[in-house]
Amino acid sequence: MQVLQEIKFNHSKLQLLDSKLVRIEIFGGAPIGEKEAKEMNNAVGVLSKGKEILVLMLADEIAQFSKEAMAFSAGDEGLMYTIADAMVVKSTAQRITANFYLKISKPKKPSKIFNSEKDAIKWLRAVESNLIPA
């Protein structure tokens, strides 16, 4: 997939892959707190031009997320630009963290964990097809 637009931070990189899909890659250098979660959310809003978009998230295996970042990401403000979230995990530890996020934070938008980017994108497209009339 071609990258149409990109926004980089020291903690992450966000790429607009098409008009309905943004890919977020989170680096493992520093913990993600509420401030960083808000920066990424604002960047999604810039990339989507203020509209809801499909969100594909990949995190480095050593990436850490604060409780505040998880609460913000699952709340109304953190999901304001999100149609659905797909999280790609690379390890058992990441799967445990992602499951914890889903069970404790209970995001109000469709969210699911995957082992591959391909499967995650396929699911996101299916969610989009069911939620948005053609």
Side-chain angles (χ1 to χ4, degrees):
M1 246 179 230
Q2 182 180 356
V3 176
L4 303 177
Q5 191 177 351
E6 184 172 88
I7 298 174
K8 289 184 182 180
F9 297 103
N10 65 340
H11 51 76
S12 61
K13 173 174 64 174
L14 292 85
Q15 299 172 317
L16 182 66
L17 300 181
D18 63 40
S19 65
K20 286 288 185 180
L21 178 64
V22 67
R23 181 182 188 269
I24 302 173
E25 184 178 347
I26 299 171
F27 310 136
I32 301 298
E34 187 175 0
K35 174 184 174 276
E36 292 80 10
K38 286 182 177 184
E39 286 176 339
M40 288 185 280
N41 188 58
N42 290 337
V44 170
V46 168
L47 293 173
S48 71
K49 296 180 173 64
K51 297 180 181 176
E52 289 187 340
I53 195 165
L54 301 168
V55 178
L56 173 65
M57 187 183 313
L58 300 95
D60 187 277
E61 287 189 56
I62 61 170
Q64 298 174 3
F65 302 88
S66 73
K67 291 177 190 173
E68 295 80 13
M70 288 192 272
F72 172 81
S73 297
D76 291 339
E77 187 181 352
L79 292 170
M80 67 191 292
Y81 303 117
T82 303
I83 295 170
D85 268 324
M87 297 167 269
V88 178
V89 297
K90 301 173 188 170
S91 68
T92 302
Q94 277 188 320
R95 183 168 290 281
I96 291 168
T97 301
N99 276 320
F100 177 80
Y101 164 74
L102 292 177
K103 287 179 183 173
I104 300 301
S105 300
K106 296 181 173 74
K108 296 175 184 173
K109 302 282 177 92
S111 301
K112 194 168 176 180
I113 303 165
F114 295 89
N115 293 323
S116 78
E117 247 182 277
K118 181 181 175 183
D119 289 343
I121 292 171
K122 184 177 177 181
W123 178 79
L124 286 167
R125 300 286 188 209
V127 169
E128 178 189 20
S129 297
N130 291 332
L131 293 178
I132 301 171

